[in-house]
Amino acid sequence: MKITAKNLNLFLAFKIPSAFICCVRVKQMDEIKCVVAVKHRWINQNPFHSMYFAVQAMAAELSTGALVRLQIQKNNKKISMLVTANKSNFTKKAVGRISFVCNDGALAQQFIKEAIVTGERRVFWMKSIGTNSDGVQVAEMDFEWSVKLKSE
């Protein structure tokens, strides 16, 4: 499957239905940047009438993971990828449409190339910033990715 925003949204529908049902959608993607949006609704809210943190984490993780997957696909090698840690900071109540943006595609590219050249596991952090429709930051999430060239 070619990694595009449309194809990733279809992938969600069939492989990660919880994210699809909660309305997590890839809105824009290129080699450097990925934007994933999710709208606060009844199905993804917490008891305090804001977006449940796990829904925000799904959107944020997708914004980083899509970039990792795209860089893997560009290199045409079999590479495993795994989130090994994450950190989150919530700064404002998440209501309305929340967009998570990751601009770390070049970082993923660098570490994937290193994993290919060395044959060793590479670990790196990618950041996703969530903002509401007014441009106010509501969350910052960091994901530690591990990539390794698979044995032939």
Side-chain angles (χ1 to χ4, degrees):
M1 169 182 90
K2 184 174 175 15
I3 304 296
T4 65
K6 181 180 176 182
N7 287 345
L8 285 170
N9 289 329
L10 285 171
F11 177 81
L12 289 176
F14 293 102
K15 298 293 186 178
I16 313 173
S18 59
F20 189 80
I21 290 167
C22 288
C23 303
V24 173
R25 299 292 185 274
V26 179
K27 294 297 184 182
Q28 176 190 346
M29 186 175 169
D30 59 34
E31 292 184 9
I32 303 300
K33 177 181 179 179
C34 183
V35 179
V36 176
V38 59
K39 187 174 181 183
H40 173 242
R41 296 177 187 227
W42 172 83
I43 193 135
N44 62 22
Q45 74 178 354
N46 61 29
F48 310 106
H49 305 289
S50 62
M51 194 178 299
Y52 185 54
F53 83 94
V55 174
Q56 293 179 65
M58 284 191 287
E61 189 267 341
L62 180 58
S63 73
T64 65
L67 291 171
V68 174
R69 187 69 194 112
L70 178 64
Q71 293 300 331
I72 288 171
Q73 187 176 70
K74 276 183 48 186
N75 284 285
N76 201 26
K77 299 280 186 186
K78 291 185 177 187
I79 297 172
S80 62
M81 58 185 275
L82 180 67
V83 171
T84 53
N86 70 304
K87 300 182 285 186
S88 302
N89 185 29
F90 302 95
T91 52
K92 187 165 176 62
K93 201 171 185 176
V95 294
R97 182 171 302 280
I98 308 299
S99 296
F100 285 90
V101 178
C102 178
N103 291 302
D104 292 339
L107 185 68
Q109 181 181 40
Q110 171 194 338
F111 281 94
I112 288 165
K113 283 184 178 180
E114 286 181 18
I116 292 168
V117 169
T118 66
E120 296 177 3
R121 181 173 310 280
R122 290 293 181 247
V123 178
F124 56 99
W125 286 90
M126 295 177 77
K127 181 181 298 298
S128 184
I129 304 290
T131 56
N132 63 21
S133 55
D134 294 329
V136 176
Q137 183 174 320
V138 298
E140 180 177 311
M141 298 190 183
D142 297 283
F143 295 89
E144 182 183 61
W145 284 97
S146 172
V147 293
K148 186 173 190 286
L149 188 64
K150 291 181 180 179
S151 301
E152 299 283 328

